[in-house]
Amino acid sequence: MTFVGGDERMLFAAGAFAENGYDVSVCGFDISVGEYGRIDGETDLRNALEGARHVVLPLPYSRDGENINTPFSKEKIKISEILAQTDESSYIYGGMFNEKILKREHTLDYYSREDFAVLNAVPTAESAVKLALEETKRSICGMNVAVLGFGRVGKILAKTLVSLGADVTVFARSAEARAWAKIFFCRPLAFSELYEHIGEFSCIFNTVPARVISDRELEHIRRGTVIIELASAPYGADAEAVSAAGARFCQASSLPGRITPKTAGNIIYETLKEIIEEEKK
């Protein structure tokens, strides 16, 4: 098994496989990898991929669509090189693959799996709370906060915030989601009501990958409000517009990888282990 690129969570995932009997190599890391387990650090991509039955790419697998995401290496690794040097019978796993890569046989996106999404929502929510503490410089207890969207991350985040004593308002599109928010002891509101209430919050967590905070809402936002962006592009608000309105925009992508990499790496390991077991059936 070979891991190519990624942040610290990929090293923890690689170490977990090594601990469970796999021969594991990693490539795309300009750091010592010995502390993560019995894994071999390779500098040459061809050597790393030779004979690999399973090739694991990071989350996200790429930032530009051409090169592997390698934050721990100055060397660029082209996606085309990996595809060219990997045996057709080998499996390639990665996060947030595009359609072109998915056309290759035996290519799977672990990020798209429901089991991964559910498990990963927990460290994402916990990391978001830590970020809120750092950015607002105040306790969560008693804070008036908003959660935009009530999917997997939104649910766990809202529940966590409520348990810490925050006054939580959930903005959700569907009546069903708002009903669940009420059961979670949150104030449920529709997105059409956001502009009326946005000035009430010290911290806003967005989980919706769409522009839900427009100029109309920003006209009413409180100065100094922190917007923590947990969704993927195009994001819930424009960072420059938020700054111009006197609020702060905190882009929090890959939070589990930055704050809880060991837990996040174990989730990747557990998901890949399930996928490999399914392939055997």
Side-chain angles (χ1 to χ4, degrees):
M1 173 175 279
T2 300
F3 284 72
V4 182
D7 53 28
E8 199 175 14
R9 60 188 149 175
M10 305 310 296
L11 293 173
F12 279 114
F17 273 105
E19 187 177 336
N20 284 274
Y22 283 77
D23 292 326
V24 182
S25 297
V26 299
C27 185
F29 295 91
D30 296 342
I31 60 173
S32 174
V33 299
E35 66 180 277
Y36 298 95
R38 299 176 63 181
I39 56 180
D40 297 322
E42 286 280 357
T43 56
D44 184 80
L45 180 64
R46 186 175 295 277
N47 288 341
L49 294 175
E50 187 175 2
R53 172 69 172 162
H54 304 280
V55 178
V56 183
L57 305 183
L59 171 63
Y61 82 102
S62 177
R63 298 287 186 187
D64 60 10
E66 295 183 7
N67 300 290
I68 295 298
N69 175 26
T70 54
F72 285 168
S73 176
K74 295 179 181 178
E75 298 295 325
K76 290 187 176 180
I77 300 176
K78 291 191 175 296
I79 299 163
S80 57
E81 289 181 48
I82 292 175
L83 296 178
Q85 296 179 32
T86 303
D87 190 276
E88 286 292 329
S89 63
S90 297
Y91 288 86
I92 298 179
Y93 315 100
M96 303 176 75
F97 276 156
N98 61 26
E99 291 299 321
K100 183 179 179 180
I101 292 182
L102 288 173
K103 288 180 181 179
R104 180 194 182 278
E105 193 175 2
H106 305 314
T107 303
L108 297 155
D109 190 333
Y110 55 80
Y111 179 75
S112 66
R113 285 177 61 99
E114 182 68 12
D115 52 346
F116 174 84
V118 171
L119 293 173
N120 201 55
V122 175
T124 298
E126 291 179 353
S127 299
V129 170
K130 179 180 184 294
L131 195 57
L133 289 167
E134 295 172 347
E135 293 294 326
T136 63
K137 302 184 182 351
R138 54 173 292 190
S139 173
I140 296 295
C141 185
M143 189 186 296
N144 204 354
V145 304
V147 175
L148 311 187
F150 209 56
R152 305 178 197 94
V153 172
K155 285 186 175 70
I156 295 172
L157 177 57
K159 182 178 180 180
T160 303
L161 291 166
V162 167
S163 70
L164 291 171
D167 294 320
V168 183
T169 300
V170 169
F171 290 87
R173 287 192 175 89
S174 71
E176 179 183 349
R178 292 194 294 273
W180 276 109
K182 189 173 183 179
I183 291 172
F184 277 39
F185 301 101
C186 302
R187 177 175 62 158
L189 294 176
F191 273 104
S192 59
E193 300 174 273
L194 179 57
Y195 81 98
E196 299 176 43
H197 297 276
I198 196 168
E200 301 171 7
F201 310 114
S202 299
C203 188
I204 299 170
F205 300 86
N206 179 58
T207 70
V208 183
R211 287 297 169 86
V212 291
I213 303 176
S214 66
D215 290 341
R216 183 190 186 199
E217 283 77 32
L218 291 176
E219 289 177 1
H220 300 277
I221 200 168
R222 181 192 303 176
R223 293 189 67 82
T225 294
V226 175
I227 297 177
I228 296 179
E229 181 58 71
L230 299 171
S232 56
Y235 312 120
D238 177 76
E240 292 183 4
V242 170
S243 180
R248 285 187 290 150
F249 184 85
C250 184
Q251 220 302 317
S253 61
S254 300
L255 262 188
R258 288 158 46 191
I259 296 178
T260 57
K262 189 170 185 177
T263 298
N266 191 61
I267 290 169
I268 291 173
Y269 161 71
E270 292 288 348
T271 304
L272 291 174
K273 187 175 68 170
E274 286 289 338
I275 294 172
I276 292 170
E277 288 299 318
E278 290 168 7
E279 289 165 359
K280 294 177 180 178
K281 295 177 182 178

